Amino acid sequence: MADGNPGKIDIPPEVFRLYDAYCHGDLSRRAFFSRLSAFAGGGITVSMLAACVMPDYSQAQTLTGDADLIEEDITYTTPSSAGTMGGYLVRPANATGKLPAILVIHENRGLNPYIRDVTRRAAKAGYVAFGPDALYPLGGYPGNDDDGRALQAQRTREDMFADFVAAAELLRGHEAVNGAVGVTGFCFGGAMANQLAVSLPWLKASVPYYGGWPADEDAARLEVPLQIHLASDDPRVNEGWAAYEAALKAAGKPYELHWYEGTQHGFHNDTTPRFNPEAAALAWSRTLDFFGKHLRGA
């Protein structure tokens, strides 16, 4: 199959756009399945189409149980969430001395297996990595994305942002961290990485993947090295880029932009058919190079 689902059916681009709208709350589950019916036929059912675009988290476990990593689920103090948040802390087991750190921020459905695996990948690259779970005050990631999205919608963006600020501060002061902290995030997490970049000038680097943008007037506050990753077929996110880019240029703020032709929103997520292995590998290598330069001085 095309679009990263070998051996199955070809998925029309419109189906991916419906899935994107569903993932981001613009379509209800009922409306999503109803609109999929327009693409069914010829032996292809609505259920088959839905199964092709839904995540398969068995594909996310690339580094589970790695003996080279120390993995912990921890809690930390935050001004939101009734004072307590939780997350997933991973670090190299055989590190000598303190290390730089990477904050990994999830999509709009909580700390799911894919983001936990990205956190492990960052640790495997030699960093202390932390993935906070914005759903912790509501019981944590519930085991599926539908319920995760519904739970995350119960929290305010402002409270969650405060939780991520506290997570960054936790890393900066952690006994295993040398004080150098970067942030990356995906979709909702990309938007949070963009906002942290204009809000925490002490961060060493920010790498947002296909996330929304800060207010144009916030561009002048940017003091953090910024590397942006965008999919070519992602109108919901990309429509805001031109205005924010103009604001960055007007404020004289440098940034690094990487545009991936032929990719969809979520191309880095290896648990859905939107996954583009070549683009994901290139983007992640660029991410690690950027963090190496700004967190390690490499």
Side-chain angles (χ1 to χ4, degrees):
M1 177 202 153
D3 298 309
N5 202 357
K8 296 187 180 179
I9 62 176
D10 287 318
I11 303 176
E14 294 83 0
V15 171
F16 283 109
R17 294 190 187 104
L18 286 175
Y19 177 67
D20 187 66
Y22 167 56
C23 281
H24 296 94
D26 298 325
L27 279 181
S28 67
R29 183 178 178 85
R30 180 186 295 251
F32 171 59
F33 277 86
S34 175
R35 295 193 187 184
L36 282 181
S37 63
F39 302 94
I44 299 172
T45 67
V46 168
S47 295
M48 290 168 64
L49 285 169
C52 282
V53 295
M54 295 296 188
D56 176 5
Y57 285 132
S58 67
Q59 303 300 311
Q61 311 303 310
T62 63
L63 290 174
T64 297
D66 193 306
D68 292 336
L69 300 177
I70 298 172
E71 305 172 50
E72 303 174 84
D73 287 290
I74 67 168
T75 60
Y76 66 98
T77 301
T78 174
S80 303
S81 314
T84 304
M85 265 283 289
Y88 180 51
L89 184 72
V90 190
R91 52 198 169 98
N94 299 315
T96 56
K98 295 186 176 185
L99 299 173
I102 297 175
L103 180 66
V104 181
I105 305 181
H106 58 68
E107 305 144 309
N108 68 333
R109 61 214 72 168
L111 188 62
N112 61 29
Y114 156 62
I115 296 297
R116 290 175 75 93
D117 198 65
V118 173
T119 306
R120 289 191 289 273
R121 294 175 211 174
K124 189 71 172 178
Y127 297 92
V128 176
F130 184 53
D133 188 357
L135 303 187
Y136 182 83
L138 302 174
Y141 175 71
N144 68 84
D145 283 9
D146 280 351
D147 290 339
R149 278 189 294 271
L151 285 175
Q152 190 157 320
Q154 297 177 27
R155 301 211 57 213
T156 69
R157 195 177 187 88
E158 293 75 18
D159 280 355
M160 289 186 286
F161 181 71
D163 294 336
F164 299 138
V165 170
E169 295 282 6
L170 167 75
L171 282 178
R172 183 163 66 154
H174 194 279
E175 62 181 8
V177 176
N178 63 11
V181 179
V183 58
T184 190
F186 304 84
C187 187
F188 164 81
M192 292 293 103
N194 269 318
Q195 193 62 46
L196 286 168
V198 299
S199 302
L200 299 181
W202 55 264
L203 286 173
K204 298 299 184 182
S206 177
V207 183
Y209 280 68
Y210 33 79
W213 313 106
D216 293 348
E217 57 269 24
D218 285 342
R221 299 165 54 199
L222 180 69
E223 301 295 337
V224 176
L226 183 63
Q227 184 186 72
I228 300 165
H229 300 275
L230 294 178
S232 62
D233 187 6
D234 192 2
R236 183 182 52 81
V237 168
N238 294 348
E239 67 181 2
W241 167 238
Y244 191 59
E245 180 182 36
L248 289 171
K249 289 181 175 179
K253 301 297 182 178
Y255 61 87
E256 186 177 312
L257 172 69
H258 296 288
W259 183 271
Y260 300 86
E261 288 295 339
T263 62
Q264 310 247 354
H265 180 90
F267 70 81
H268 184 268
N269 187 332
D270 54 3
T271 70
T272 82
R274 298 182 295 179
F275 175 54
N276 184 303
E278 293 80 14
L282 178 58
W284 189 244
S285 69
R286 286 169 168 167
T287 296
L288 293 181
D289 286 347
F290 195 73
F291 282 140
K293 175 182 178 181
H294 294 288
L295 272 68
R296 299 183 186 277

